[in-house]
Amino acid sequence: MFSGLSAFPLTPVNATGIDEKSFLSLLARLTTAKVDSLGVLGSTGSYAYFTREQRQRVASLAVQHADGIPVMVSIGATSTDEVLRLAEDAQHAGVSALLLPAVSYQKLTEEEVFGFYTEVARNVSLPICVYDNPGTTHTDFSNPLYARIAALSNIASIKIPGVPDEIASAKQRVNTLRAHLPDHIRIGVSGDAAAGNGLMAGCDVWFSVCGGLFPNTALLFTQAAQAGDFATVAAQSRRLEPLWALFRQHGGSIRVMSAAAAILGLADENNLPRPLRALSSEEQREVRQVIETLELS
Amino acid sequence: MFSGLSAFPLTPVNATGIDEKSFLSLLARLTTAKVDSLGVLGSTGSYAYFTREQRQRVASLAVQHADGIPVMVSIGATSTDEVLRLAEDAQHAGVSALLLPAVSYQKLTEEEVFGFYTEVARNVSLPICVYDNPGTTHTDFSNPLYARIAALSNIASIKIPGVPDEIASAKQRVNTLRAHLPDHIRIGVSGDAAAGNGLMAGCDVWFSVCGGLFPNTALLFTQAAQAGDFATVAAQSRRLEPLWALFRQHGGSIRVMSAAAAILGLADENNLPRPLRALSSEEQREVRQVIETLELS
């Protein structure tokens, strides 16, 4: 579950709710490309906008159509009670791992974050990936907090938000983190622009938004890293800079990937849960041009 | 609904869920003290941690036990669809107004925030109070955005997060905001430490956390402001500085008010929804001392 390319697809909606046909067409691209794992209902999969029932349905659909590829789903919510219910639902759906962010409304103290992971870890039977995404959850993890959480049972991986731009600093970041963690913990990098550096710095897995729609492009990248071909990784990451620039321009990757899915004919134009909105026509044209120029697939 | 003291009580929980007996005992303090309105299920009322069913139950209980005092409830959620369902529930429960924050997971663009308020305002029949609380929702409002939202039907009030410490700056802030708004929009100040300045600067209402547990203390303050007795307002605000200091020390007011409710024997020690936690015994002793020294009631 926690090596290579973990692809994080959108969960498209339409006027009546979750667009299951569209979701399955996205999944089919990923199973055909043979990504290493599926990260369903991640931030890009809009878990934070769906009801418990919708999340259970999407998790079940994903497991049924994953073609044997392991599926992880986010069980994030502000309330611990709700997280425990979502964990039970996800386990019933047959997923392979649980992605667990510390979503905050009131800013959480370090003891509250630790208490949260302790309680959830004690109540599940599947591997947990600790999801550190301060841009959306507004929860910060210090290295000592990572260490305390990683020592809990059922903790298998940590999804970090990125690594520094400079490769020496990126290596130092990953090495420092690794020194705080038990050996069995797998480190995954997200923030696609940082993925090249993250993989070259020794991360085990790329939790990839780009790979959720363009799995072949992302696999080239990941497989080069796994083969130790860092020249190719660096070149690919530079080549994809226009895509990373779009992500920066639009406050993250989700609106860009939403536009891309619509441009590919795989989802409605308005495929994000409201209040999120589709990019403007002009912005969509820019996304189309980047897809074509970079030959994303 | 939007003048004087609007008291925001906790929604205490116990080991089995919402502690209805405790919630009603808090409400009774507020109705006995005759606060001007009740802000149930605000941030202090932990709306962001409860299920739709729990929120509907609390709204109904509040209306039934409000003794004729108008009740406002928050209908905040990340998803517009969920907000519309919560609005319907709140209207069925018989509340008098809807408190509407723009809760974010993905950071919202200004157009998304405006689109959100437009859609909700079009679908409700009760007055809406726009809830600006960037510390929890991570949504920012510019004055022009306030102006666009305030021009929508059903918008009645804006709850601002505070005003500057210096009274001249506070007046300037309120005057500038007022110049952007139609005359019928009521401005409410929150962030209790800023309330004195806010009321003296011309805010119409104090959306008060302190007033949710210590209504007599808060009413003294508000009634002095309404009578134009600014010397008393300023003196009261200075007198309560040890309470404001506790709020700053504990990342906001909710954990302090939770401890205070337990100290008064009105709720269990662990009365916040997990992952939020009670203050430590030592911190609780400090809260007790402040309650006693300031004679909060």
Side-chain angles (χ1 to χ4, degrees):
Chain A
M1 177 84 227
F2 299 116
S3 67
L5 177 66
S6 186
F8 277 62
L10 296 161
T11 312
V13 303
N14 57 24
T16 59
I18 286 173
D19 184 345
E20 296 190 0
K21 189 171 157 223
S22 176
F23 176 66
L24 293 179
S25 73
L26 296 179
L27 271 193
R29 277 171 80 88
L30 306 178
T31 54
T32 302
K34 301 197 189 306
V35 300
D36 297 299
S37 63
L38 295 164
V40 168
L41 291 170
S43 292
T44 302
S46 292
Y47 79 85
Y49 299 86
F50 294 134
T51 64
R52 180 179 168 194
E53 293 69 27
Q54 288 175 313
R55 291 167 75 168
Q56 184 163 32
R57 172 71 181 158
V58 171
S60 295
L61 276 177
V63 171
Q64 286 161 27
H65 293 84
D67 204 14
I69 296 175
V71 173
M72 175 166 72
V73 297
S74 167
I75 55 170
T78 48
S79 144
T80 306
D81 284 342
E82 184 72 1
V83 169
L84 294 176
R85 289 187 285 265
L86 290 161
E88 201 173 304
D89 293 346
Q91 293 181 135
H92 282 153
V95 305
S96 299
L98 305 170
L99 180 61
L100 183 56
V103 179
S104 70
Y105 180 77
Q106 301 285 348
K107 175 91 175 161
L108 299 175
T109 66
E110 187 151 318
E111 284 312 304
E112 287 170 342
V113 176
F114 180 66
F116 169 71
Y117 281 97
T118 303
E119 181 170 357
V120 179
R122 198 171 42 217
N123 281 282
V124 302
S125 54
L126 287 177
I128 289 172
C129 175
V130 176
Y131 183 12
D132 177 1
N133 188 359
T136 55
T137 65
H138 307 283
T139 299
D140 304 305
F141 291 80
S142 64
N143 286 332
L145 177 59
Y146 274 139
R148 293 174 73 194
I149 294 170
L152 298 168
S153 62
N154 293 320
I155 305 293
S157 178
I158 291 179
K159 179 179 189 294
I160 61 174
V163 294
D165 281 345
E166 209 269 308
I167 182 68
S169 306
K171 282 184 180 161
Q172 191 175 27
R173 169 78 188 108
V174 174
N175 289 342
T176 303
L177 179 56
R178 185 97 58 200
H180 281 81
L181 304 177
D183 287 346
H184 68 276
I185 301 289
R186 296 285 165 262
I187 300 176
V189 64
S190 43
D192 284 4
N197 263 4
L199 293 169
M200 291 190 286
C203 290
D204 302 290
V205 52
W206 176 16
F207 296 116
S208 176
V209 173
C210 154
L213 190 61
F214 302 115
N216 299 305
T217 300
L219 277 168
L220 264 181
F221 209 101
T222 320
Q223 287 163 353
Q226 287 175 317
D229 177 3
F230 289 173
T232 297
V233 175
Q236 282 291 323
S237 191
R238 274 196 306 276
R239 193 182 77 80
L240 296 176
E241 172 54 30
L243 180 60
W244 314 149
L246 284 175
F247 289 177
R248 285 194 298 273
Q249 184 184 334
H250 295 296
S253 46
I254 191 167
R255 295 176 188 83
V256 176
M257 298 313 282
S258 158
I263 288 163
L264 296 181
L266 296 168
D268 286 0
E269 181 178 339
N270 292 304
N271 60 59
L272 293 175
R274 303 183 324 288
L276 304 182
R277 293 165 78 98
L279 297 183
S280 69
S281 306
E282 174 58 29
E283 291 164 336
Q284 289 178 37
R285 274 193 293 278
E286 291 167 13
V287 174
R288 178 187 291 276
Q289 192 166 19
V290 167
I291 295 172
E292 290 172 358
T293 308
L294 300 183
E295 298 179 332
L296 301 176
S297 73
Chain B
M1 176 83 227
F2 299 116
S3 68
L5 176 66
S6 186
F8 278 62
L10 297 161
T11 312
V13 303
N14 57 23
T16 59
I18 287 173
D19 184 345
E20 296 189 0
K21 190 172 155 223
S22 175
F23 176 66
L24 293 180
S25 73
L26 296 180
L27 271 194
R29 278 170 79 87
L30 306 178
T31 55
T32 303
K34 301 197 189 305
V35 299
D36 296 299
S37 63
L38 295 164
V40 169
L41 291 169
S43 292
T44 302
S46 293
Y47 80 84
Y49 299 86
F50 295 135
T51 64
R52 180 180 168 193
E53 292 70 25
Q54 288 175 312
R55 291 167 73 168
Q56 185 163 32
R57 172 72 182 157
V58 171
S60 296
L61 276 177
V63 171
Q64 287 160 27
H65 293 83
D67 204 12
I69 297 175
V71 173
M72 175 167 72
V73 297
S74 166
I75 55 169
T78 49
S79 146
T80 306
D81 284 342
E82 184 71 2
V83 169
L84 295 175
R85 289 188 286 265
L86 290 161
E88 202 172 306
D89 293 346
Q91 293 181 137
H92 282 152
V95 305
S96 300
L98 306 169
L99 180 62
L100 183 56
V103 179
S104 70
Y105 180 77
Q106 301 285 347
K107 174 91 176 161
L108 299 176
T109 66
E110 186 151 319
E111 283 311 304
E112 287 170 342
V113 175
F114 180 67
F116 169 70
Y117 281 97
T118 303
E119 182 170 358
V120 179
R122 198 169 44 216
N123 281 281
V124 302
S125 54
L126 287 178
I128 290 172
C129 175
V130 176
Y131 184 12
D132 177 1
N133 187 358
T136 55
T137 65
H138 307 283
T139 298
D140 304 305
F141 291 79
S142 64
N143 285 332
L145 177 59
Y146 274 138
R148 293 173 73 193
I149 293 170
L152 298 168
S153 61
N154 293 319
I155 304 293
S157 179
I158 292 180
K159 180 179 188 296
I160 61 175
V163 294
D165 281 344
E166 209 269 309
I167 181 68
S169 307
K171 281 184 181 163
Q172 191 174 27
R173 170 76 189 108
V174 174
N175 289 342
T176 303
L177 179 56
R178 186 108 40 209
H180 281 82
L181 304 177
D183 287 345
H184 68 276
I185 301 288
R186 297 286 166 261
I187 300 177
V189 65
S190 42
D192 284 3
N197 264 3
L199 292 170
M200 290 189 286
C203 289
D204 302 289
V205 51
W206 176 16
F207 296 117
S208 175
V209 174
C210 153
L213 190 61
F214 303 114
N216 300 305
T217 301
L219 277 168
L220 264 182
F221 208 101
T222 320
Q223 287 163 353
Q226 287 175 317
D229 177 3
F230 290 173
T232 298
V233 175
Q236 283 292 323
S237 191
R238 273 196 306 275
R239 193 182 78 80
L240 296 176
E241 171 57 28
L243 180 60
W244 315 148
L246 284 175
F247 289 178
R248 286 194 299 273
Q249 184 184 333
H250 295 296
S253 46
I254 191 168
R255 294 176 188 84
V256 176
M257 299 312 283
S258 158
I263 288 164
L264 297 181
L266 297 168
D268 286 0
E269 181 179 340
N270 293 303
N271 60 59
L272 293 175
R274 304 183 322 289
L276 304 181
R277 294 164 77 98
L279 297 184
S280 70
S281 306
E282 174 57 29
E283 292 164 336
Q284 289 177 37
R285 273 193 293 276
E286 292 167 11
V287 174
R288 178 187 292 275
Q289 192 166 20
V290 167
I291 295 173
E292 291 172 357
T293 308
L294 300 183
E295 299 179 332
L296 301 176
S297 72

